[in-house]
Amino acid sequence: MAVLSSPPAASPLAARRSRSLRRATDGAILALTVAFAILWLLPILWVVTMSLKPNAELMRSTAGFIPLPFTLDNYINLLKMETVPRWLMHSLIVAVTMTALVLIVSSMAGYAFARLRFPFKKTLFLLVMAGLMVPEQSIFIPLHTMFSAWGLHNSHVALVMPRVAVPIGVFLMMQFFRSIPKELEEAAEIDHASRLTVFLKIMLPLSVPALTTLGLFTFIFAWNDFLWPLVSATRADMYTVTVGLASIQSNFAFSEGLGSVMASAVFASLPIMLLFLIFQRFIVAGVAMNAGK
């Protein structure tokens, strides 16, 4: 009868070497991460510094990360513009509406692809995923012609509707619904719950983490969106904040100075920065979820 022997235990010296190698590797990774973080933050810090300097000082030199002499005139002048609050309101309406519609469409489509049986299901799913391979710039001319024929340009409908269908949102929700045990639905069906009841009262509450992540990414995309609002909104009173601020800083010669340009960039980025700081846990979880899938 063969006797199974346990593998020989590592010697104390080998164990110490292994721990030292692990600590050295972790330290190198941490140092590299900190170096990349500093490299990424430097341009942002430089923009903020220039936004807090007088334009006369910036005409002499833009070097340095300490805003001396210090001034808030660039921000005050920006807020005094009558159109800026209107542009902010348009961006907020577009971002909130787009986020709500994307969550509704993506969750319903994702649940259908994950749980329902219907004809041509695989073909339809491939068509939805094919949308990921089409550059958005290639469909701008048909979209512009279509919305022009309907007379919808310079409206919130035109700014929101082309962005509602999000293939990656459908894919994300489908993957999440597939991870939910089918036994929960079967138990509800035994209690004579309809498919709509199962979706609304069981599946949606369980998918709050995925919906939160998708909503955050959609809001950030909608707020930062520039190209389609630039094409669709041709009147200054219908600009979103990105297009509006770009319109006043498109040429340094016509802008009020480099400090005002940098103040506009910081002003447009503030809502997204605040959103990230508040919901960073969900954003990181969403990135990890997509990577895991």
Side-chain angles (χ1 to χ4, degrees):
M1 181 177 176
V3 178
L4 296 177
S5 59
S6 59
S11 65
L13 180 60
R16 281 199 299 273
R17 286 178 177 175
S18 177
R19 285 196 296 270
S20 300
L21 181 61
R22 193 181 306 116
R23 282 197 294 269
T25 304
D26 292 345
I29 293 175
L30 180 61
L32 195 62
T33 303
V34 171
F36 276 114
I38 293 174
L39 192 64
W40 179 78
L41 285 173
L42 281 179
I44 300 175
L45 180 60
W46 192 38
V47 169
V48 175
T49 300
M50 285 194 290
S51 71
L52 296 173
K53 284 184 176 181
N55 288 314
E57 178 65 23
L58 291 173
M59 291 179 66
R60 287 191 289 272
S61 174
T62 59
F65 292 96
I66 300 176
L68 291 176
F70 178 84
T71 181
L72 291 176
D73 289 346
N74 296 319
Y75 291 96
I76 294 173
N77 294 333
L78 186 65
L79 293 174
K80 283 181 179 177
M81 296 181 63
E82 295 181 357
T83 51
V84 171
R86 183 177 301 171
W87 295 340
L88 284 172
M89 183 58 65
H90 288 322
S91 287
L92 189 62
I93 292 173
V94 170
V96 171
T97 307
M98 190 186 302
T99 301
L101 292 177
V102 165
L103 291 181
I104 293 172
V105 172
S106 297
S107 60
M108 295 180 70
Y111 179 71
F113 284 121
R115 287 291 197 257
L116 303 185
R117 294 180 179 179
F118 51 89
F120 308 110
K121 177 179 175 180
K122 291 184 178 180
T123 305
L124 289 173
F125 181 71
L126 289 176
L127 288 175
V128 171
M129 291 297 103
L132 292 172
M133 294 178 282
V134 180
E136 63 172 355
Q137 293 84 358
S138 64
I139 62 174
F140 273 6
I141 293 178
L143 277 177
H144 184 275
T145 305
M146 186 169 64
F147 279 90
S148 179
W150 292 342
L152 291 176
H153 281 309
N154 293 304
S155 68
H156 293 126
V157 175
L159 293 174
V160 171
M161 292 310 294
R163 304 301 205 190
V164 172
V166 181
I168 191 65
V170 176
F171 179 75
L172 174 67
M173 295 309 301
M174 184 194 73
Q175 293 292 86
F176 191 85
F177 285 132
R178 279 182 174 176
S179 67
I180 297 176
K182 289 185 178 180
E183 288 76 9
L184 292 175
E185 290 180 274
E186 293 170 354
E189 290 173 357
I190 291 175
D191 293 336
H192 306 289
S194 66
R195 179 67 71 177
L196 183 61
T197 302
V198 171
F199 175 68
L200 294 177
K201 295 188 176 180
I202 296 179
M203 303 302 280
L204 279 186
L206 291 175
S207 61
V208 167
L211 289 172
T212 304
T213 303
L214 179 60
L216 288 171
F217 281 118
T218 304
F219 188 92
I220 293 172
F221 170 79
W223 187 271
N224 291 331
D225 194 12
F226 177 78
L227 201 53
W228 175 245
L230 179 66
V231 172
S232 180
T234 56
R235 295 202 319 257
D237 61 339
M238 279 304 299
Y239 285 168
T240 56
V241 68
T242 53
V243 178
L245 293 178
S247 69
I248 63 174
Q249 64 185 34
S250 58
N251 191 324
F252 284 1
F254 293 100
S255 69
E256 297 182 0
L258 188 57
S260 301
V261 173
M262 296 306 162
S264 301
V266 175
F267 187 75
S269 306
L270 276 180
I272 297 302
M273 290 183 181
L274 291 176
L275 197 69
F276 177 79
L277 291 176
I278 296 172
F279 296 102
Q280 57 178 312
R281 181 167 59 90
F282 293 99
I283 295 176
V284 173
V287 173
M289 183 188 304
N290 288 329
K293 299 298 182 184

